[in-house]
Amino acid sequence: DTEVTQTPKHLVMGMTNKKSLKCEQHMGHRAMYWYKQKAKKPPELMFVYSYEKLSINESVPSRFSPECPNSSLLNLHLHALQPEDSALYLCASSQGSGGAQVNEQFFGPGTRLTVL
Amino acid sequence: QKEVEQNSGPLSVPEGAIASLNCTYSDRGSQSFFWYRQYSGKSPELIMSIYSNGDKEDGRFTAQLNKASQYVSLLIRDSQPSDSATYLCAVRGLTGGGNKLTFGTGTQLKVEL
């Protein structure tokens, strides 16, 4: 099973709202990722959690706040977003670099976010 | 120089032909290489991974890796209209504790009837 699930599928929010994106995997993976993807562009890495610890923050604005409650779950808390933050937000997971030579990343279906 | 380069296309091939997608990378320390297929409005789907020089075949797909030339390619045999998508090349290096992928900009493939 290589399934990563994400909720919600679609989200519309105002600039003053607070919302959260959720991601779950049951593959026993120890690394989880958040990416942002704009139309006709490749995914852009935002955050990496490795063994439930934040290991990479690609200089993401503080209005995006990640959280990893346990090894299967990953959240992305959103607050005071801007219209330019509208994008497809993708979660991915992998075994983690310590456990696999290849370390394949598997993506969830994404959350389509629109900020009004 | 971009870290991972792909021709953006579109690459048009007739149904039943072989589609050849190419990718070059700049980091000689890169460890493993991936091809993702992405349909419009959907998330990337992993179709091939490779980390040793040579060819790796899976059904109609063959990935080829040449580390000396810093080149990785994807061949799709007997191309079908359902193969029409954007193909993303991704490279894993040693940065970010080995967890970071660097993506190319993708090649759009169109398989014509």
Side-chain angles (χ1 to χ4, degrees):
Chain A
D1 183 9
T2 56
E3 187 177 14
V4 177
T5 59
Q6 290 187 244
T7 55
K9 286 187 171 58
H10 301 275
L11 179 62
V12 179
M13 60 186 291
M15 290 189 284
T16 59
N17 292 156
K18 285 185 182 181
K19 297 286 185 183
S20 296
L21 309 184
K22 297 186 184 302
C23 174
E24 189 167 7
Q25 58 88 15
H26 292 289
M27 295 178 277
H29 287 172
R30 303 314 301 266
M32 296 186 77
Y33 309 77
W34 281 116
Y35 288 86
K36 172 183 176 180
Q37 189 176 27
K38 296 280 235 180
K40 300 193 185 302
K41 297 288 187 184
E44 180 185 336
L45 183 64
M46 300 174 72
F47 303 103
V48 180
Y49 274 83
S50 179
Y51 292 82
E52 300 167 47
K53 288 185 168 42
L54 183 65
S55 63
I56 297 177
N57 176 342
E58 293 284 88
S59 302
V60 178
S62 60
R63 57 186 184 269
F64 296 92
S65 175
E67 178 196 18
C68 187
N70 60 54
S71 60
S72 300
L73 293 173
L74 188 65
N75 298 323
L76 185 64
H77 303 297
L78 314 172
H79 173 54
L81 295 192
Q82 305 297 309
E84 58 264 29
D85 296 321
S86 298
L88 181 66
Y89 286 84
L90 297 161
C91 175
S93 71
S94 73
Q95 281 185 283
S97 59
Q101 184 167 5
V102 183
N103 200 20
E104 295 170 329
Q105 286 189 25
F106 298 94
F107 284 86
T111 293
R112 177 74 58 187
L113 174 67
T114 302
V115 182
L116 301 176
Chain B
Q1 182 190 7
K2 291 182 184 174
E3 294 180 63
V4 178
E5 293 208 45
Q6 296 181 255
N7 189 323
S8 61
L11 172 65
S12 293
V13 299
E15 185 178 5
I18 296 175
S20 177
L21 304 162
N22 304 315
C23 173
T24 58
Y25 60 95
S26 60
D27 181 3
R28 284 198 172 274
S30 298
Q31 301 289 301
S32 44
F33 308 83
F34 308 90
W35 285 98
Y36 288 87
R37 177 175 64 197
Q38 187 170 26
Y39 294 112
S40 181
K42 301 295 187 183
S43 65
E45 175 191 7
L46 180 65
I47 54 172
M48 290 292 285
S49 61
I50 188 167
Y51 60 91
S52 298
N53 275 329
D55 294 0
K56 179 181 177 184
E57 186 175 320
D58 184 0
R60 294 187 297 113
F61 299 101
T62 299
Q64 300 174 316
L65 175 60
N66 184 325
K67 287 187 177 180
S69 300
Q70 296 176 244
Y71 176 94
V72 58
S73 64
L74 178 71
L75 300 178
I76 306 175
R77 287 181 298 282
D78 188 23
S79 295
Q80 300 297 309
S82 59
D83 294 325
S84 298
T86 295
Y87 289 79
L88 294 162
C89 173
V91 175
R92 183 177 75 87
L94 293 173
T95 57
N99 284 324
K100 187 172 178 178
L101 287 184
T102 301
F103 284 88
T105 52
T107 298
Q108 185 183 7
L109 174 65
K110 293 185 176 181
V111 180
E112 297 167 334
L113 294 170

